[in-house]
């Protein structure tokens, strides 16, 4: 049985850049390809790249970086620049890069940055798959009473400078609301920078937020600004704020109180010209009572609270959401014009959607990509709902050891055959794009590569 090594794409016309990076990336288990800017997007569309390193010392690379970060959010995107050009690195992060590296490259710094950004991609089940990542131009859809109330309060909150806490269930659209606060604010011309607080342990989260000085720790071989610095003049969005530890809570409280901070390993006090918007699906009041979240920090964060309603509370919005997702995802997946029959929309409105808008969007994408005709019928929706219900029931059902042992041989044969057929169908429907195929199957790209190798489908 073989497994596929993760692949890194170096986007640069300079051979010296590739020569300096390839041996360092190889030690991290990455195979490398180098392409110039003109060929990079076609290679990324193949869905086989995990890490993209873009040389932004050229104007072409800097212009290309936002498109790569936007269209291929399943990849870790890192900017490459010359030493002592921190400003260009900051510009690249504001344009969508997860981080930047300076050449000539240092082995420890490359290792540190790669581990950090790859860990950030593996954020867990609460994070949307790549096709669900919120783009700046995505509108807030819905004319229901709860959404009208949210719109009215959001407009008022956006006009000021107060810290905003966005609350709501997972998948309800908290990041989209946070972006709208920024886009409607006086700081709309500044950057909108996101940090997913649950994705990183304390040491990485602290350096991610506040930056570090050269020599602050192993791998810190140059001064690196944190997200607070990168967001200067704009908005810093701290997602899943309820997951930060007491140690980070103390440091964040100081920034909110005094608007000052120091880089890790440094003594210089810096000013934080940043508007903070945070989000959580947790009950922070309960966490405060249990001593798990600082009360003083909670009050600093909860100046203006925006609650995003669950989808079950605004069922009249399901139809416009479904039609919007159908059209945008049809275009994204290069499918022919597709729409819903009226009775198919009735079925969608009747569902509870515990995963909220994110679950609905994922469901619509499956329908669009797997559709065999221009119209999605009631029977198409019913079949997909039945498959979804079966999968949920199987995950909940207890399995006895005796029943598993009795059927293990039959299951092994059936699973292998079903897996191969499912892989082949997903690849056909995705026109060979492995990222899309992985989403259709509900697995990671790495798991997909493993299964393709196991079944001889590479």
């Amino acid at each position: 049985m073989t497994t596929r090594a993760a692949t890194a794409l170096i986007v640069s016309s300079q051979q010296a850049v590739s020569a300096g990076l390839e041996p360092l990336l190889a030690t991290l288990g990455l195979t490398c390809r180098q392409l110039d800017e003109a060929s990079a997007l076609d290679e990324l569309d193949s869905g086989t790249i995990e890490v993209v390193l873009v040389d932004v010392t050229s104007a072409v690379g800097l212009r290309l970086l936002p498109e790569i970060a936007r269209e291929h959010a399943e990849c870790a995107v890192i900017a490459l620049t010359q030493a002592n050009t921190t400003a260009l690195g900051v510009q690249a992060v504001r344009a969508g890069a997860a981080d930047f590296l300076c050449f000539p490259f240092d082995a420890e710094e490359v290792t540190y940055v790669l581990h950090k950004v790859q860990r950030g991609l593996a954020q867990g089940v609460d994070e949307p798959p790549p096709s669900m990542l919120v783009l700046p131009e995505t509108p807030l859809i819905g004319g229901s009473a709860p959404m009208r109330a949210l719109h009215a309060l959001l407009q008022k909150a956006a006009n000021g400078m107060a810290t905003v806490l966005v609350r709501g269930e997972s998948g309800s659209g908290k990041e989209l609301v946070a972006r709208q606060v920024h886009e409607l604010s006086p700081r709309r011309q500044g950057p909108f920078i996101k940090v997913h607080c649950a994705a990183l342990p304390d040491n990485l989260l602290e350096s991610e937020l506040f930056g570090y000085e050269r020599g602050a720790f192993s791998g810190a071989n140059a001064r690196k600004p944190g997200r607070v610095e990168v967001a200067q003049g704009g908005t810093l969005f701290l997602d899943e704020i309820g997951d930060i530890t007491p140690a980070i809570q103390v440091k964040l409280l100081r920034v909110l109180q005094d608007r000052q901070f120091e880089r890790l390993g440094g003594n210089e006090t810096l000013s934080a010209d940043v508007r903070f918007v945070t989000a959580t699906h947790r009950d922070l009041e309960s966490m405060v009572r249990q001593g798990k979240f600082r009360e003083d920090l909670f009050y600093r964060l909860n100046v203006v609270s925006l609650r995003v309603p669950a989808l079950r509370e605004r069922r009249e919005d399901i139809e416009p959401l479904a039609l919007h997702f159908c059209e945008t995802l049809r275009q994204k997946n290069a499918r022919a014009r597709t729409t819903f029959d009226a009775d198919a929309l009735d079925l969608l409105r009747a569902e509870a959607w515990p995963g909220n808008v994110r679950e609905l969007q994922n469901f619509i994408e499956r329908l669009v990509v797997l559709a065999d005709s221009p119209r999605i019928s009631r029977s198409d929706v019913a079949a997909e709902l039945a498959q979804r219900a079966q999968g949920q029931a199987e995950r909940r059902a207890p399995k006895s050891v005796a029943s598993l042992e009795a059927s293990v041989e039959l299951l092994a044969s059936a699973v292998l055959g079903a897996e191969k057929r499912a892989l082949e169908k997903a690849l056909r429907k995705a026109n060979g794009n492995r990222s899309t195929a992985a989403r259709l199957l509900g697995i990671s790209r790495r798991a997909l590569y493993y299964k393709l190798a196991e079944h001889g489908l590479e």
Side-chain angles (χ1 to χ4, degrees), residues 229 266 296 313 340 344 401 410:
E229 280 183 79
D296 47 4
E313 300 172 27
F340 283 94
V401 174
L410 179 61

Side-chain angles (χ1 to χ4, degrees), residues 396-411:
R396 289 193 298 264
K399 303 288 193 303
S400 71
V401 174
S403 64
L404 287 173
E405 289 177 347
S407 59
V408 67
E409 291 185 6
L410 179 61
L411 278 173

Side-chain angles (χ1 to χ4, degrees), residues 4 12 19 23 37 65 199 220 298 333 383 391:
R4 179 187 295 272
S12 176
E37 294 84 350
L65 189 144
F298 170 71
N333 289 285

Side-chain angles (χ1 to χ4, degrees), residues 238-258:
L238 303 179
D239 198 9
E240 298 304 347
I241 193 68
D243 290 80
I244 63 174
T245 64
I248 298 297
Q249 290 177 33
V250 171
K251 296 179 183 296
L252 183 58
L253 177 63
R254 188 210 167 184
V255 180
L256 288 166
Q257 285 178 331
D258 304 332

Side-chain angles (χ1 to χ4, degrees), residues 124-125 127-132 362-363 365-366 369-370 384 387-388 391 395 419 422-423 425-427 430 433-449 451:
V125 296
E127 275 297 284
S131 64
M132 313 273 168
N362 188 40
F363 189 87
E365 183 168 24
R366 286 179 60 84
V369 175
L370 297 174
E384 191 62 37
Q387 182 176 340
R388 167 175 165 263
R395 287 192 293 272
E419 272 189 355
L423 289 165
K425 182 178 181 181
L427 286 170
N433 186 302
R434 296 185 178 189
S435 292
T436 301
R439 289 200 302 273
L440 294 175
L441 293 166
I443 61 177
S444 67
R445 287 194 309 151
R446 184 165 293 179
L448 176 67
Y449 296 151
K451 291 296 182 184

